[in-house]
Amino acid sequence: MAFSLLKPRFLSPGAAAAAPGLARQLSAHLRGEVLFDAGSRGRYATDASIYQCMPLGVAVPRDQDDLLVALQIAREARVPVVARGAGTSQCGQTVGEGLVIDNSRWLNGLVELDVQARTAVVEPGIVLDHLNAQLKPHGLWFPVDVSTSAQCTLGGMAGNNSCGSRSIAYGNMVHNVLGIDAVLADGTQAHFGPWDGCLPEAPRLRGLVQGLHAVAQRERGEIAERMPQVLRRVAGYNIDLFDCRNPRPYTDDGVPNLSHILVGSEGTLAYSRRIKIKLAPLPRAKVLGVVNFPTFYQSMDMTQHIVKLGPVAVELVDRTMIDLSLRNPAFRPVIERALVGEPQAVLLVEFAGDDGAALSAQLRALQDLMGELGLPGSVVAMEDAAAQKALWDVRKAGLNIMMSMRGDGKPVSFIEDCAVPLEHLAEYTAQLTEVFHRHGTEGTWYAHASVGTLHVRPILDMRRDGAAKMRAIAQEAAELVRRYKGAYSGEHGDGLCRGEWVAWQYGPRINQAFREIKALFDPDNLYCPDRIVDPPAMDDARLFRFAPGYRTIAIQPVLDWSAWDVRRDPLTGAETAPGTGGDPALGLGKAVEMCNNNGHCRKFDAGTMCPSYRITRDEKHVTRGRANTLRLALSGQLGEGGLLRPEVKEALDLCVSCKGCKRDCPTGVDMAKMKIEARAAWASRDGLRWRDRLVAFLPRYAGRLAPWAGLLHAAQSLPGAGWAKRRLGLAPARSLPRFARPFLRQAGLQQAACGPAGQQDKEVLLFVDTFNNHMEPENAAAARRVLEAAGYRVHLNLAPDGRGLCCGRTFLAAGLVEQARAEARRALDALLPFVERGVAVVGLEPSCLLTLRDEFLHYGYGEQAEQLARASFLFEEFLVREQRAGRLEVAWQAVPHARALVHGHCHQKAFDALRPVQTVLGWVPGLKVDMIESSCCGMAGSFGYEAEHFEASMKMAELSLLPAVRADAQALVVADGTSCRHQIHDGAGRQALHVARVLAMALPESGRQAGAGQPR
């Protein structure tokens, strides 16, 4: 049975019936986007919680005027409004059945900055990291540094009263918000800020402030009695704004600030348009001490002593997170440097300030303290800024790392932000662990030990018995929190998950006061209804992402996804054998469901993903949006058709298969591999266009074009060439590759076909791909010269039939997986005799060579494919390995360049294979090597040739790559990817060289001369 969520669940019939008219009105009057199609609604139906609520539609206002229009139209239609930033909320705050308004795409400006006063005014959609990047030149930052800083918005942070890793030093959002310009549900615009006791003149605002103050005064005694006095307490409304019960005063001068009633209100009281915030000076120096603990209990027990040293942060990483980090190639080297032995937990203890010597003294004091507490030598000192940032990045990815467990059981957020006083932290965690064990599960722990708030998530299967266990565990956890006088909701707010516990935490009188406050602000219950006041039960199954009736459709994928199709014991962590998880999609469904919607793919900092989102800022074109689209399609929620649904094709249209998500997504969502599945389905139904066939079968016919290379190149400048390109679906402005006499054909005259020739101490097999064989043979020639100069006997990938071996990637790009599988079989048969006797397979083109380490493993060839993958290296990877083993001795010479600009191929980044390029170029005397902080070049194989994608291709290149190349006309430009070099040539008029040619230039004179070349 198909599971359908195309109709909202809880809206009144009148509101639900208003959808068509609402869409028409919004479309007629908004300059931004209006999204009422099933795919868009589905993508906005989830956040980083366990919930899914299909909205009526989505509005993406272009500016503040657009926002006011959208709110007015919704108000006149009496349709509820849900404000949304990055959609990273973990309790269901940013999902709802009404009109979702997305602030993140355009309402994201820094409106005003006062450096002297250290204040700023921002729009709600501005991302925290983007704001801090603008503040950094002024020596300032906004210090509520939550782990999702690369994607979360200030509006969402204010709505949730976010806290961050350094709240022990800087406080929560409520301590750092100075004012809010907001729109009430009746359309009234108001500024909320410091209150001097005078009532506003406007009747609506006068009644609002008067009523709010009266409620707070009436319940003053109850507030003093029932509100926990812990820093981390974010449940309900900040009704204590007139008489602060937080250990840290809300304001520096003691004057009440009316904006603080909106902070933490989760959009239920007013819609924030602008937020005035308090800034802090950037600390000039930081040091980090990583304390390793043999037991988890010790880490919790000793936190209370560590905080007395005055750190700005004390963050926990437990053994589960350590193990999962070690499995991620991006995080493994970082976490390994922080470990002493095999600790069960580590604490990241940071000291910050302006005096580096004083910070070093604090770090030594930490080491002395741990010795006094019986753990000498347990502290790994990190004073290098880069090393500190790398480790903090792992900590920030903690949530997603936890969610990378395979199987249906996942760490579930519902008690994860309970806060208790530090003196009770160890006992609380020990007893909560006992609760988990009684219910047959284990918990994952990380985050803010400094303030007694630990992100603990029991592992539950929400498809089966997870809801019942969630209820039972929540009740027992609540009793522990009450016993230790803590707060049930310590950071991530209430939402759908913890809303019902507001009344439990504060009692009936304060809960009734919250109802009165909601009615004062929003009497018609139009802003985020059913949150905080009269919320649904946390285990209302109708609200779950995996609600009753959820089913994955049965399909036969073309690749092997069985590794994802497993069951996992939540208590022991043991996984069943691949293919035993019961997924009707044979693992593809479970692989898609690995996306937990945390939105890490929306980040814009250094790295690869997600290039299409970077140019569109459209939820449809980010990995999360694509994964949601696939999940909805594979569960029948978009209708019949599965991967053949038009929504799937639309969502994957701008995916350039960069594999950035394979590396950068901590849960390992590999959208490039998923797109292969979709392409295969499309090809099976629709066949291939001529353009697709030209790409797919390029390795088969490229050799025949060499005699005509000059004529083909000249024809591009003839009249009608553009028309011919358009007829083939190619971009007229894009130059076509030049073909040359194949390298393997020339080399084959000197060497027998591929086979286990005579033994030699140093052997290597050079895997020359289609592109470097037929289009840029000078790269292969340079690589061969370098290897031979280093004393290696070089074998080539010529099969016994005289045809070069191929990775099959062009077939994969067209969805012809069977042809790609056949090429893989052919390569395995020819290469395994070399591999079995210890000869490395070395390639030049990242996308081709790394196919041997990736897609070859998913064709069903088992250990043979694993053997080849272990023996396969990119050219520079092999050289670094040999140099470190003492087998590479070359007298490198200077080249006629002082600086090299290096652009990394996306697949190099995805496989952590870019650093070797920097290493080998560093061997060239006098050559300064700078890495271009770039995402995908935008060419991406055939993507940049396609007429409909040419503009997107160039926008990707213009993000950072082409401006960096143009900025230094004298620098040597290095790029290992064929597509990357082509894009640089077309977009900047520069010739980029493969690293092999640069090293050939650095050989003695003969090699240097041969390595030089002329621009195309």
Side-chain angles (χ1 to χ4, degrees), residues 378-534:
S378 62
V379 180
V380 176
M382 291 187 176
E383 300 194 48
D384 176 70
Q388 292 179 51
K389 181 182 182 303
L391 191 57
W392 277 116
D393 286 345
V394 175
R395 156 60 194 93
K396 283 189 170 187
L399 167 63
N400 279 343
I401 292 172
M402 295 298 190
M403 300 302 289
S404 66
M405 296 176 181
R406 293 180 179 179
D408 291 340
K410 293 287 191 296
V412 177
S413 170
F414 62 100
I415 58 167
E416 81 161 42
D417 293 309
C418 299
V420 299
L422 284 183
E423 61 268 24
H424 302 307
L425 189 58
E427 286 301 320
Y428 168 72
T429 56
Q431 292 186 41
L432 192 56
T433 297
E434 292 178 7
V435 172
F436 296 157
H437 291 175
R438 282 200 299 274
H439 292 281
T441 189
E442 187 58 270
T444 61
W445 304 81
Y446 70 103
H448 317 303
S450 61
V451 288
T453 300
L454 294 177
H455 296 336
V456 53
R457 294 187 170 205
I459 301 166
L460 301 176
D461 183 351
M462 299 306 294
R463 288 173 170 80
R464 297 173 180 87
D465 60 353
K469 289 185 177 181
M470 179 172 71
R471 167 67 62 182
I473 292 171
Q475 289 172 340
E476 294 190 56
E479 289 307 316
L480 289 175
V481 170
R482 177 165 285 167
R483 182 188 311 169
Y484 293 120
K485 301 185 184 303
Y488 189 79
S489 185
E491 179 174 10
H492 291 158
D494 301 318
L496 296 169
C497 183
R498 285 195 283 268
E500 67 167 291
W501 295 91
V502 171
W504 171 91
Q505 176 81 73
Y506 297 129
R509 286 188 57 175
I510 292 182
N511 193 52
Q512 177 58 32
F514 289 163
R515 284 197 182 95
E516 294 177 36
I517 292 171
K518 170 68 171 175
L520 280 170
F521 278 82
D522 180 20
D524 295 324
N525 198 25
L526 292 178
Y527 277 173
C528 290
D530 308 321
R531 306 293 195 276
I532 300 178
V533 171
D534 298 323

Side-chain angles (χ1 to χ4, degrees), residues 566-736:
V566 298
R567 292 188 187 276
R568 186 180 189 276
D569 187 306
L571 193 57
T572 67
E575 291 183 359
T576 61
T580 60
D583 182 2
L586 304 184
L588 176 59
K590 291 186 185 296
V592 167
E593 291 164 4
M594 289 297 291
C595 176
N596 75 316
N597 283 274
N598 187 257
H600 189 69
C601 43
R602 291 169 63 101
K603 69 187 182 72
F604 275 72
D605 59 352
T608 302
M609 72 179 198
C610 183
S612 49
Y613 175 71
R614 294 183 185 209
I615 63 169
T616 67
R617 301 199 180 211
D618 189 330
E619 181 72 17
K620 175 172 58 182
H621 297 305
V622 73
T623 304
R624 177 179 73 178
R626 290 171 178 139
N628 271 321
T629 305
L630 288 169
R631 179 179 56 81
L632 293 165
L634 291 176
S635 57
Q637 296 184 65
L638 297 177
E640 301 294 329
L643 294 176
L644 297 174
R645 292 289 309 174
E647 293 91 347
V648 172
K649 199 162 192 175
E650 185 180 8
L652 292 176
D653 180 55
L654 293 186
C655 173
V656 293
S657 298
C658 66
K659 290 187 181 289
C661 47
K662 179 182 176 67
R663 172 181 167 84
D664 288 353
C665 173
T667 63
V669 174
D670 188 348
M671 194 53 59
K673 188 179 173 189
M674 294 171 184
K675 187 171 182 178
I676 292 173
E677 290 288 350
R679 281 190 178 276
W682 305 338
S684 177
R685 181 190 66 179
D686 304 329
L688 296 182
R689 296 171 293 182
W690 266 104
R691 183 181 71 186
D692 300 326
R693 290 186 175 277
L694 284 173
V695 172
F697 290 93
L698 176 65
R700 303 280 177 85
Y701 67 79
R704 303 173 192 169
L705 299 180
W708 310 96
L711 182 61
L712 289 171
H713 181 66
Q716 291 194 62
S717 60
L718 295 176
W723 174 86
K725 289 181 181 178
R726 276 191 292 270
R727 289 285 293 175
L728 287 171
L730 303 177
R734 178 68 69 189
S735 69
L736 297 179

